[in-house]
Coordinates of all heavy atoms in Angstrom, one line a residue:
M1128 N -0.6 13.4 -5.3 CA 0.4 12.8 -4.4 C -0.3 12.1 -3.2 O -1.3 12.7 -2.7 CB 1.4 13.9 -4.0 CG 2.5 13.3 -3.1 SD 3.7 14.6 -2.6 CE 4.5 14.8 -4.2
L1129 N 0.2 11.0 -2.8 CA -0.3 10.3 -1.6 C 0.7 10.3 -0.5 O 1.9 10.2 -0.8 CB -0.7 8.9 -2.0 CG -1.8 8.6 -3.0 CD1 -1.9 7.2 -3.3 CD2 -3.1 9.1 -2.4
D1130 N 0.2 10.5 0.7 CA 1.1 10.5 1.9 C 0.4 9.5 2.9 O -0.6 9.8 3.5 CB 1.2 11.9 2.5 CG 2.0 11.9 3.8 OD1 2.7 10.9 4.0 OD2 2.0 12.9 4.4
F1131 N 1.0 8.3 3.0 CA 0.6 7.3 4.0 C 1.6 7.3 5.2 O 2.7 6.9 5.0 CB 0.5 6.0 3.4 CG -0.2 4.9 4.2 CD1 -1.4 5.2 4.8 CD2 0.4 3.7 4.5 CE1 -2.0 4.2 5.7 CE2 -0.1 2.8 5.3 CZ -1.4 3.0 5.9
E1132 N 1.1 7.8 6.3 CA 2.0 8.0 7.4 C 1.9 6.9 8.5 O 1.0 6.9 9.3 CB 1.7 9.4 8.1 CG 2.7 9.8 9.1 CD 4.1 10.0 8.7 OE1 4.3 10.5 7.5 OE2 5.0 9.7 9.4
N1133 N 2.9 6.0 8.4 CA 3.0 4.9 9.5 C 1.7 4.4 10.1 O 1.5 4.4 11.3 CB 3.9 5.5 10.6 CG 5.3 5.5 10.3 OD1 5.7 4.8 9.4 ND2 6.1 6.3 11.0
Y1134 N 0.8 4.0 9.2 CA -0.5 3.4 9.6 C -1.4 4.4 10.4 O -2.3 4.0 11.1 CB -0.3 2.1 10.5 CG 0.6 1.1 9.9 CD1 1.9 0.9 10.2 CD2 0.1 0.3 8.9 CE1 2.7 0.0 9.6 CE2 0.9 -0.7 8.3 CZ 2.2 -0.8 8.6 OH 2.9 -1.8 8.0
E1135 N -1.1 5.7 10.3 CA -1.9 6.7 11.0 C -2.9 7.4 10.1 O -4.0 7.7 10.6 CB -0.9 7.7 11.6 CG -0.1 7.1 12.7 CD 0.9 8.2 13.3 OE1 0.6 9.4 13.1 OE2 1.9 7.7 13.9
F1136 N -2.6 7.6 8.8 CA -3.5 8.3 7.9 C -3.1 8.2 6.5 O -1.9 7.8 6.2 CB -3.7 9.8 8.3 CG -2.4 10.6 8.2 CD1 -1.9 11.0 7.0 CD2 -1.7 10.9 9.3 CE1 -0.8 11.8 6.9 CE2 -0.5 11.6 9.2 CZ 0.0 12.1 8.0
L1137 N -4.0 8.4 5.6 CA -3.7 8.5 4.2 C -4.2 9.8 3.7 O -5.4 10.1 3.8 CB -4.4 7.4 3.4 CG -4.2 7.4 1.9 CD1 -2.8 7.3 1.4 CD2 -5.1 6.4 1.2
D1138 N -3.3 10.7 3.2 CA -3.7 12.0 2.7 C -3.5 12.0 1.1 O -2.6 11.4 0.6 CB -2.9 13.1 3.3 CG -3.3 13.4 4.7 OD1 -4.3 12.8 5.2 OD2 -2.6 14.2 5.4
L1139 N -4.4 12.8 0.5 CA -4.3 13.0 -1.0 C -4.0 14.4 -1.2 O -4.7 15.3 -0.8 CB -5.6 12.6 -1.6 CG -5.8 12.9 -3.1 CD1 -4.8 12.0 -3.9 CD2 -7.2 12.6 -3.6
G1140 N -2.9 14.7 -1.9 CA -2.5 16.1 -2.3 C -3.0 16.4 -3.7 O -2.7 15.6 -4.6
R1141 N -3.7 17.5 -3.8 CA -4.1 18.0 -5.1 C -3.8 19.5 -5.2 O -4.3 20.3 -4.4 CB -5.6 17.8 -5.3 CG -6.0 16.4 -5.5 CD -7.5 16.3 -5.8 NE -8.0 15.0 -5.5 CZ -9.2 14.7 -5.6 NH1 -10.1 15.5 -5.9 NH2 -9.6 13.4 -5.3
G1142 N -2.9 19.9 -6.1 CA -2.6 21.3 -6.2 C -1.9 21.7 -4.9 O -0.9 21.1 -4.5
N1143 N -2.4 22.8 -4.2 CA -1.8 23.2 -3.0 C -2.5 22.7 -1.8 O -2.3 23.2 -0.7 CB -1.8 24.8 -3.0 CG -0.9 25.4 -4.1 OD1 0.0 24.8 -4.5 ND2 -1.3 26.5 -4.5
K1144 N -3.5 21.8 -1.9 CA -4.3 21.3 -0.8 C -4.1 19.9 -0.5 O -3.9 19.1 -1.4 CB -5.7 21.6 -1.1 CG -6.0 23.1 -1.2 CD -7.5 23.4 -1.3 CE -7.7 24.9 -1.4 NZ -9.1 25.2 -1.6
W1145 N -4.2 19.5 0.8 CA -4.2 18.1 1.2 C -5.6 17.7 1.7 O -6.2 18.5 2.4 CB -3.1 17.9 2.2 CG -1.7 17.9 1.7 CD1 -0.9 19.0 1.6 CD2 -1.0 16.8 1.1 NE1 0.3 18.6 1.0 CE2 0.2 17.3 0.7 CE3 -1.3 15.5 0.9 CZ2 1.2 16.5 0.1 CZ3 -0.4 14.6 0.3 CH2 0.8 15.1 -0.1
E1146 N -6.0 16.5 1.4 CA -7.3 16.0 1.9 C -7.0 14.7 2.6 O -6.4 13.8 2.1 CB -8.3 15.8 0.8 CG -9.6 15.2 1.2 CD -10.4 14.9 0.0 OE1 -10.0 15.2 -1.2 OE2 -11.5 14.2 0.2
R1147 N -7.5 14.5 3.9 CA -7.4 13.3 4.6 C -8.4 12.3 4.0 O -9.6 12.6 4.2 CB -7.5 13.5 6.1 CG -7.4 12.2 6.8 CD -6.4 12.2 8.0 NE -5.1 12.9 7.7 CZ -4.4 13.4 8.6 NH1 -4.7 13.4 9.9 NH2 -3.2 14.0 8.3
V1148 N -8.0 11.2 3.4 CA -9.0 10.4 2.8 C -9.2 9.1 3.5 O -10.2 8.4 3.3 CB -8.6 10.0 1.3 CG1 -8.7 11.3 0.4 CG2 -7.2 9.4 1.2
F1149 N -8.3 8.7 4.5 CA -8.5 7.5 5.2 C -7.7 7.6 6.5 O -6.6 8.0 6.5 CB -8.0 6.3 4.4 CG -8.2 5.0 5.1 CD1 -9.4 4.4 5.3 CD2 -7.1 4.3 5.5 CE1 -9.6 3.2 6.0 CE2 -7.2 3.1 6.1 CZ -8.4 2.5 6.4
V1150 N -8.4 7.1 7.6 CA -7.7 7.0 8.9 C -7.9 5.6 9.4 O -9.1 5.2 9.7 CB -8.2 8.0 9.9 CG1 -7.5 7.8 11.3 CG2 -8.0 9.4 9.5
P1151 N -6.9 4.7 9.4 CA -7.1 3.3 9.8 C -7.3 3.2 11.3 O -7.0 4.1 12.0 CB -5.8 2.6 9.3 CG -4.8 3.7 9.3 CD -5.5 5.0 9.0
Q1152 N -7.9 2.1 11.7 CA -8.1 1.8 13.1 C -6.7 1.7 13.7 O -5.7 1.2 13.2 CB -8.8 0.5 13.3 CG -9.1 0.1 14.7 CD -9.9 -1.2 14.7 OE1 -10.3 -1.7 13.7 NE2 -10.1 -1.7 15.9
S1153 N -6.5 2.3 14.9 CA -5.3 2.4 15.6 C -4.8 1.0 16.2 O -5.7 0.2 16.6 CB -5.3 3.3 16.8 OG -5.5 4.6 16.3
F1154 N -3.5 0.8 16.2 CA -2.9 -0.3 16.8 C -1.4 0.0 17.1 O -0.9 0.9 16.5 CB -3.0 -1.6 16.0 CG -2.2 -1.6 14.7 CD1 -1.0 -2.2 14.7 CD2 -2.7 -1.0 13.6 CE1 -0.2 -2.2 13.5 CE2 -2.0 -1.0 12.4 CZ -0.7 -1.6 12.4
D1155 N -0.8 -0.7 18.0 CA 0.6 -0.5 18.3 C 1.5 -1.3 17.4 O 1.8 -2.4 17.7 CB 0.8 -0.8 19.8 CG 2.2 -0.4 20.2 OD1 3.1 -0.1 19.4 OD2 2.5 -0.5 21.5
Y1156 N 1.9 -0.7 16.2 CA 2.6 -1.5 15.2 C 4.0 -1.9 15.7 O 4.6 -2.8 15.1 CB 2.6 -0.8 13.9 CG 3.2 0.6 13.9 CD1 4.6 0.8 13.7 CD2 2.4 1.7 14.0 CE1 5.1 2.0 13.7 CE2 2.9 3.0 14.0 CZ 4.3 3.1 13.8 OH 4.8 4.4 13.8
L1157 N 4.6 -1.2 16.7 CA 5.9 -1.5 17.1 C 5.9 -2.7 18.1 O 6.7 -3.6 18.1 CB 6.6 -0.3 17.8 CG 6.9 0.8 16.9 CD1 7.5 2.0 17.7 CD2 7.9 0.4 15.8
N1158 N 4.8 -2.7 19.0 CA 4.7 -3.8 20.0 C 3.8 -4.9 19.6 O 3.8 -6.0 20.2 CB 4.3 -3.2 21.3 CG 5.3 -2.3 21.9 OD1 6.5 -2.6 22.0 ND2 4.9 -1.1 22.3
D1159 N 3.0 -4.7 18.6 CA 2.1 -5.7 18.1 C 2.1 -5.8 16.6 O 1.1 -5.6 15.9 CB 0.7 -5.4 18.6 CG -0.3 -6.6 18.4 OD1 0.2 -7.7 18.1 OD2 -1.5 -6.3 18.6
P1160 N 3.3 -6.2 16.0 CA 3.4 -6.1 14.5 C 2.5 -7.2 13.8 O 2.3 -7.0 12.6 CB 4.9 -6.4 14.3 CG 5.3 -7.2 15.5 CD 4.5 -6.6 16.6
K1161 N 2.0 -8.2 14.5 CA 1.1 -9.2 13.9 C -0.3 -8.9 14.3 O -1.2 -9.8 14.2 CB 1.6 -10.6 14.4 CG 2.9 -11.0 13.8 CD 3.3 -12.4 14.2 CE 4.7 -12.7 13.7 NZ 5.1 -14.0 14.1
S1162 N -0.6 -7.7 14.6 CA -2.0 -7.3 14.9 C -2.9 -7.6 13.8 O -2.6 -7.4 12.6 CB -2.1 -5.8 15.2 OG -3.4 -5.4 15.2
P1163 N -4.1 -8.2 14.0 CA -5.1 -8.5 12.9 C -5.4 -7.2 12.2 O -5.7 -7.2 11.0 CB -6.3 -9.0 13.7 CG -5.7 -9.6 14.9 CD -4.6 -8.7 15.3
I1164 N -5.4 -6.1 12.8 CA -5.7 -4.8 12.2 C -4.6 -4.5 11.1 O -5.0 -4.1 10.0 CB -5.7 -3.6 13.2 CG1 -6.9 -3.9 14.2 CG2 -5.9 -2.3 12.5 CD1 -6.8 -2.9 15.4
R1165 N -3.4 -4.7 11.4 CA -2.3 -4.5 10.5 C -2.3 -5.5 9.3 O -2.1 -5.2 8.2 CB -1.0 -4.6 11.2 CG 0.2 -4.4 10.2 CD 1.5 -4.4 11.0 NE 2.6 -4.2 10.1 CZ 3.4 -5.2 9.7 NH1 3.3 -6.4 10.1 NH2 4.4 -4.9 8.8
L1166 N -2.7 -6.8 9.7 CA -2.6 -7.8 8.7 C -3.8 -7.9 7.8 O -3.8 -8.6 6.7 CB -2.4 -9.2 9.4 CG -1.1 -9.3 10.2 CD1 -1.0 -10.6 10.9 CD2 0.1 -9.0 9.3
E1167 N -4.9 -7.3 8.2 CA -6.2 -7.4 7.4 C -6.1 -7.1 5.9 O -6.5 -7.9 5.1 CB -7.3 -6.6 8.1 CG -8.6 -6.8 7.4 CD -9.7 -6.1 8.1 OE1 -9.6 -5.6 9.3 OE2 -10.8 -5.9 7.5
P1168 N -5.4 -6.0 5.5 CA -5.3 -5.8 4.1 C -4.5 -6.9 3.4 O -4.9 -7.2 2.2 CB -4.5 -4.4 4.0 CG -4.7 -3.8 5.4 CD -4.8 -4.9 6.3
H1169 N -3.5 -7.4 4.0 CA -2.8 -8.5 3.4 C -3.6 -9.8 3.3 O -3.6 -10.5 2.3 CB -1.5 -8.8 4.2 CG -0.6 -7.6 4.4 ND1 0.1 -7.1 3.4 CD2 -0.4 -6.9 5.5 CE1 0.7 -6.0 3.8 NE2 0.5 -5.9 5.1
I1170 N -4.4 -10.1 4.3 CA -5.3 -11.2 4.3 C -6.3 -11.0 3.1 O -6.6 -12.0 2.4 CB -6.0 -11.4 5.6 CG1 -5.0 -11.8 6.7 CG2 -7.1 -12.4 5.5 CD1 -5.5 -11.6 8.1
G1171 N -6.8 -9.8 3.0 CA -7.7 -9.6 1.9 C -7.2 -9.8 0.5 O -7.8 -10.4 -0.4
V1172 N -5.9 -9.5 0.3 CA -5.2 -9.7 -1.0 C -5.1 -11.2 -1.3 O -5.4 -11.7 -2.4 CB -3.9 -9.0 -1.0 CG1 -3.0 -9.5 -2.2 CG2 -4.0 -7.5 -1.0
V1173 N -4.7 -11.9 -0.3 CA -4.5 -13.4 -0.4 C -5.9 -14.0 -0.6 O -6.0 -14.9 -1.5 CB -3.8 -14.0 0.8 CG1 -3.8 -15.5 0.7 CG2 -2.4 -13.5 0.9
Q1174 N -6.9 -13.6 0.1 CA -8.2 -14.2 0.0 C -8.8 -13.9 -1.4 O -9.4 -14.8 -2.0 CB -9.2 -13.7 1.0 CG -10.5 -14.4 1.0 CD -10.4 -15.9 1.4 OE1 -9.8 -16.2 2.4 NE2 -10.8 -16.7 0.5
E1175 N -8.6 -12.7 -1.9 CA -9.0 -12.4 -3.3 C -8.4 -13.3 -4.3 O -9.0 -13.8 -5.2 CB -8.8 -11.0 -3.6 CG -8.8 -10.6 -5.1 CD -10.1 -10.9 -5.8 OE1 -11.2 -11.1 -5.2 OE2 -10.1 -11.1 -7.1
F1176 N -7.1 -13.6 -4.2 CA -6.4 -14.5 -5.1 C -7.0 -15.9 -5.0 O -7.2 -16.5 -6.0 CB -4.9 -14.5 -4.8 CG -4.1 -15.4 -5.7 CD1 -3.9 -15.0 -7.0 CD2 -3.5 -16.5 -5.2 CE1 -3.2 -15.8 -7.9 CE2 -2.7 -17.3 -6.0 CZ -2.6 -17.0 -7.4
I1177 N -7.2 -16.4 -3.8 CA -7.8 -17.7 -3.6 C -9.2 -17.8 -4.2 O -9.5 -18.7 -4.9 CB -7.8 -18.1 -2.1 CG1 -6.4 -18.3 -1.6 CG2 -8.7 -19.3 -1.9 CD1 -6.3 -18.4 -0.1
D1178 N -10.0 -16.7 -4.0 CA -11.3 -16.7 -4.5 C -11.3 -16.7 -6.0 O -12.1 -17.4 -6.7 CB -12.1 -15.5 -4.0 CG -12.4 -15.6 -2.5 OD1 -12.3 -16.7 -1.9 OD2 -12.8 -14.5 -2.0
S1179 N -10.3 -16.0 -6.6 CA -10.3 -16.0 -8.1 C -10.0 -17.4 -8.7 O -10.5 -17.8 -9.7 CB -9.2 -15.0 -8.6 OG -7.9 -15.4 -8.3
I1180 N -9.2 -18.1 -8.0 CA -8.9 -19.5 -8.4 C -10.1 -20.4 -8.2 O -10.5 -21.1 -9.2 CB -7.7 -20.1 -7.6 CG1 -6.4 -19.3 -7.9 CG2 -7.5 -21.6 -7.8 CD1 -5.2 -19.7 -7.0
L1181 N -10.7 -20.3 -7.1 CA -11.9 -21.1 -6.8 C -13.1 -20.8 -7.7 O -13.9 -21.7 -8.1 CB -12.4 -21.0 -5.4 CG -11.4 -21.5 -4.3 CD1 -11.9 -21.1 -2.9 CD2 -11.2 -23.0 -4.4
E1182 N -13.2 -19.5 -8.1 CA -14.3 -19.1 -9.0 C -13.9 -19.1 -10.5 O -14.6 -18.6 -11.3 CB -14.7 -17.7 -8.6 CG -15.3 -17.7 -7.2 CD -15.5 -16.3 -6.6 OE1 -15.3 -15.3 -7.3 OE2 -15.8 -16.2 -5.4
N1183 N -12.7 -19.6 -10.8 CA -12.2 -19.7 -12.2 C -12.3 -18.3 -12.9 O -12.8 -18.2 -14.0 CB -12.9 -20.8 -12.9 CG -12.2 -21.2 -14.2 OD1 -11.0 -21.0 -14.3 ND2 -12.9 -21.6 -15.2
R1184 N -11.7 -17.3 -12.3 CA -11.7 -16.0 -12.9 C -10.4 -15.3 -12.6 O -9.6 -15.7 -11.8 CB -12.9 -15.1 -12.3 CG -12.7 -14.9 -10.8 CD -13.8 -13.9 -10.3 NE -13.7 -13.8 -8.9 CZ -12.9 -13.1 -8.2 NH1 -11.9 -12.4 -8.8 NH2 -12.9 -13.1 -6.8
S1185 N -10.1 -14.2 -13.3 CA -8.9 -13.4 -13.1 C -9.1 -12.7 -11.8 O -10.1 -12.2 -11.4 CB -8.7 -12.4 -14.2 OG -8.5 -13.1 -15.5
P1186 N -8.0 -12.5 -11.1 CA -8.0 -11.7 -9.8 C -8.3 -10.3 -10.2 O -8.0 -9.8 -11.3 CB -6.6 -11.9 -9.2 CG -5.8 -12.5 -10.2 CD -6.6 -13.1 -11.3
R1187 N -8.9 -9.5 -9.2 CA -9.2 -8.1 -9.5 C -8.0 -7.3 -9.8 O -8.1 -6.3 -10.5 CB -9.9 -7.6 -8.2 CG -11.3 -8.1 -8.1 CD -12.1 -7.4 -6.9 NE -13.3 -8.1 -6.8 CZ -13.8 -8.5 -5.6 NH1 -13.1 -8.2 -4.5 NH2 -14.9 -9.1 -5.5
V1188 N -6.9 -7.7 -9.2 CA -5.6 -7.0 -9.5 C -4.7 -8.0 -10.1 O -4.4 -9.0 -9.6 CB -5.0 -6.4 -8.2 CG1 -3.6 -5.8 -8.5 CG2 -5.9 -5.4 -7.5
S1189 N -4.2 -7.7 -11.3 CA -3.4 -8.6 -12.1 C -2.0 -8.7 -11.6 O -1.5 -7.8 -10.8 CB -3.4 -8.2 -13.6 OG -2.6 -7.0 -13.7
G1190 N -1.3 -9.7 -12.0 CA 0.1 -9.8 -11.6 C 0.9 -8.6 -12.2 O 1.8 -8.1 -11.5
A1191 N 0.6 -8.2 -13.4 CA 1.3 -7.0 -14.0 C 1.1 -5.8 -13.2 O 2.0 -5.0 -13.0 CB 0.8 -6.8 -15.4
T1192 N -0.1 -5.6 -12.7 CA -0.4 -4.4 -11.9 C 0.4 -4.5 -10.6 O 0.9 -3.5 -10.1 CB -1.9 -4.2 -11.6 OG1 -2.6 -4.1 -12.9 CG2 -2.2 -3.0 -10.7
G1193 N 0.4 -5.6 -10.0 CA 1.2 -5.8 -8.7 C 2.7 -5.6 -9.0 O 3.4 -4.9 -8.2
R1194 N 3.2 -6.0 -10.1 CA 4.6 -5.8 -10.4 C 4.9 -4.3 -10.6 O 5.9 -3.8 -10.2 CB 5.0 -6.5 -11.7 CG 6.5 -6.5 -12.0 CD 6.8 -6.4 -13.5 NE 8.2 -6.2 -13.7 CZ 8.8 -4.9 -13.7 NH1 8.1 -3.9 -13.4 NH2 10.0 -4.8 -13.9
D1195 N 3.9 -3.6 -11.3 CA 4.1 -2.1 -11.4 C 4.1 -1.4 -10.1 O 4.9 -0.5 -9.9 CB 2.9 -1.6 -12.2 CG 2.9 -2.0 -13.7 OD1 4.0 -2.5 -14.2 OD2 1.9 -1.8 -14.4
A1196 N 3.3 -1.9 -9.1 CA 3.3 -1.3 -7.8 C 4.7 -1.5 -7.1 O 5.2 -0.6 -6.5 CB 2.2 -1.9 -7.0
V1197 N 5.2 -2.7 -7.3 CA 6.5 -3.0 -6.7 C 7.6 -2.1 -7.3 O 8.5 -1.6 -6.7 CB 6.9 -4.5 -6.8 CG1 8.3 -4.7 -6.4 CG2 5.9 -5.3 -6.0
E1198 N 7.5 -1.9 -8.6 CA 8.5 -1.1 -9.4 C 8.4 0.4 -8.9 O 9.4 1.0 -8.7 CB 8.2 -1.1 -10.9 CG 9.2 -0.3 -11.7 CD 8.9 -0.4 -13.2 OE1 7.8 -0.4 -13.6 OE2 9.9 -0.5 -13.9
I1199 N 7.2 0.9 -8.6 CA 7.0 2.2 -8.1 C 7.7 2.3 -6.7 O 8.4 3.3 -6.4 CB 5.6 2.6 -8.0 CG1 5.0 2.8 -9.4 CG2 5.3 3.9 -7.2 CD1 3.5 3.0 -9.5
C1200 N 7.4 1.3 -5.8 CA 8.1 1.3 -4.5 C 9.6 1.3 -4.6 O 10.3 2.0 -3.9 CB 7.6 0.1 -3.7 SG 5.8 0.3 -3.2
E1201 N 10.1 0.5 -5.5 CA 11.6 0.4 -5.7 C 12.1 1.8 -6.2 O 13.1 2.2 -5.7 CB 11.9 -0.7 -6.7 CG 13.4 -0.8 -7.0 CD 14.3 -1.2 -5.9 OE1 13.8 -1.8 -4.9 OE2 15.5 -0.9 -5.9
A1202 N 11.4 2.4 -7.1 CA 11.8 3.7 -7.6 C 11.8 4.8 -6.4 O 12.7 5.6 -6.3 CB 10.9 4.2 -8.7
C1203 N 10.8 4.7 -5.5 CA 10.8 5.6 -4.4 C 12.0 5.4 -3.5 O 12.6 6.3 -3.0 CB 9.5 5.4 -3.6 SG 8.0 6.0 -4.4
L1204 N 12.3 4.1 -3.2 CA 13.5 3.8 -2.4 C 14.8 4.3 -3.0 O 15.6 4.9 -2.3 CB 13.6 2.3 -2.1 CG 12.5 1.8 -1.2 CD1 12.5 0.2 -1.2 CD2 12.6 2.3 0.2
R1205 N 14.9 4.1 -4.3 CA 16.1 4.6 -5.0 C 16.2 6.1 -5.0 O 17.2 6.7 -4.8 CB 16.1 4.1 -6.4 CG 16.4 2.6 -6.6 CD 16.5 2.2 -8.0 NE 16.6 0.8 -8.2 CZ 16.8 0.2 -9.3 NH1 16.9 0.9 -10.4 NH2 16.8 -1.2 -9.4
S1206 N 15.0 6.7 -5.2 CA 15.0 8.2 -5.3 C 15.4 8.8 -3.9 O 16.2 9.7 -3.8 CB 13.6 8.7 -5.6 OG 13.5 10.1 -5.6
S1207 N 14.9 8.1 -2.8 CA 15.2 8.6 -1.5 C 16.7 8.4 -1.2 O 17.4 9.3 -0.7 CB 14.4 7.8 -0.5 OG 14.7 8.2 0.8
S1208 N 17.3 7.3 -1.5 CA 18.7 7.0 -1.2 C 19.6 7.8 -2.1 O 20.7 8.2 -1.7 CB 19.0 5.5 -1.3 OG 18.9 5.1 -2.6
E1209 N 19.2 8.1 -3.4 CA 20.1 8.8 -4.3 C 19.9 10.2 -4.4 O 20.6 11.0 -5.0 CB 20.0 8.1 -5.7 CG 20.4 6.7 -5.7 CD 20.2 6.0 -7.1 OE1 20.1 6.8 -8.1 OE2 20.2 4.8 -7.1
G1210 N 18.7 10.7 -3.8 CA 18.4 12.1 -3.8 C 18.1 12.7 -5.2 O 18.5 13.8 -5.5
R1211 N 17.5 11.9 -6.0 CA 17.2 12.3 -7.4 C 15.9 11.6 -7.9 O 15.5 10.6 -7.3 CB 18.3 12.1 -8.3 CG 18.6 10.6 -8.6 CD 19.8 10.4 -9.5 NE 20.0 9.0 -9.8 CZ 19.3 8.3 -10.7 NH1 18.5 8.9 -11.5 NH2 19.6 7.0 -10.9
A1212 N 15.3 12.2 -8.9 CA 14.2 11.5 -9.6 C 14.6 10.3 -10.3 O 15.8 10.3 -10.9 CB 13.5 12.5 -10.6
I1213 N 13.8 9.3 -10.3 CA 14.1 8.0 -10.9 C 13.1 7.8 -12.1 O 11.9 7.9 -11.9 CB 14.0 6.8 -9.9 CG1 14.9 7.0 -8.7 CG2 14.2 5.5 -10.6 CD1 16.4 7.0 -9.1
D1214 N 13.6 7.5 -13.2 CA 12.8 7.3 -14.4 C 12.2 5.9 -14.4 O 12.8 4.9 -14.0 CB 13.6 7.5 -15.7 CG 14.0 8.9 -15.9 OD1 13.3 9.8 -15.5 OD2 15.1 9.1 -16.5
L1215 N 10.9 5.8 -14.8 CA 10.3 4.5 -15.0 C 10.1 4.3 -16.5 O 9.9 5.2 -17.2 CB 8.9 4.5 -14.3 CG 9.0 4.6 -12.7 CD1 7.6 4.7 -12.2 CD2 9.7 3.4 -12.1
P1216 N 10.1 3.0 -16.9 CA 10.3 1.8 -16.1 C 11.8 1.7 -15.7 O 12.7 2.3 -16.3 CB 10.0 0.7 -17.1 CG 10.1 1.3 -18.5 CD 9.8 2.7 -18.3
L1217 N 12.0 1.0 -14.6 CA 13.4 0.8 -14.1 C 14.2 0.0 -15.1 O 13.8 -0.8 -15.8 CB 13.3 0.1 -12.8 CG 12.7 0.9 -11.6 CD1 12.7 0.0 -10.4 CD2 13.5 2.2 -11.4

């Protein structure tokens, strides 16, 4: 299980234990939502896509994988609002 807490940390849960695997650089996401720190991951995704076109290769993350990630996020939102487990695929 992964727990990403409001740009503060990323924890990985295994069994009964949690391990902090990433702590991003701090920024004020409420007062500076366009901070370069916040936008850097998004910039990287777009740049990788552009590079794949320029280098005539497939992107490192396929469109199908991206769609799967969106489906998981949608299932999480539905699960939270409905208070139940959501089966995949949607």
Side-chain angles (χ1 to χ4, degrees):
M1128 181 177 290
L1129 295 172
D1130 180 11
F1131 186 53
E1132 186 65 35
N1133 285 339
Y1134 305 104
E1135 294 177 20
F1136 61 80
L1137 174 64
D1138 286 354
L1139 173 65
R1141 291 184 198 176
N1143 295 331
K1144 296 184 180 180
W1145 286 93
E1146 174 187 357
R1147 180 128 317 153
V1148 294
F1149 181 68
V1150 178
Q1152 187 177 350
S1153 291
F1154 68 96
D1155 186 348
Y1156 58 87
L1157 293 176
N1158 294 314
D1159 191 12
K1161 294 183 180 178
S1162 166
I1164 297 167
R1165 178 177 181 256
L1166 298 178
E1167 186 174 343
H1169 304 289
I1170 292 166
V1172 169
V1173 173
Q1174 188 62 58
E1175 163 56 22
F1176 181 69
I1177 292 167
D1178 290 346
S1179 72
I1180 293 169
L1181 295 174
E1182 296 167 8
N1183 196 29
R1184 61 172 174 79
S1185 296
R1187 290 186 186 133
V1188 177
S1189 71
T1192 301
R1194 189 216 171 275
D1195 291 345
V1197 170
E1198 182 177 40
I1199 290 169
C1200 292
E1201 176 65 22
C1203 289
L1204 291 170
R1205 287 185 190 184
S1206 177
S1207 177
S1208 69
E1209 297 175 21
R1211 66 180 183 87
I1213 302 296
D1214 294 327
L1215 293 174
L1217 293 178

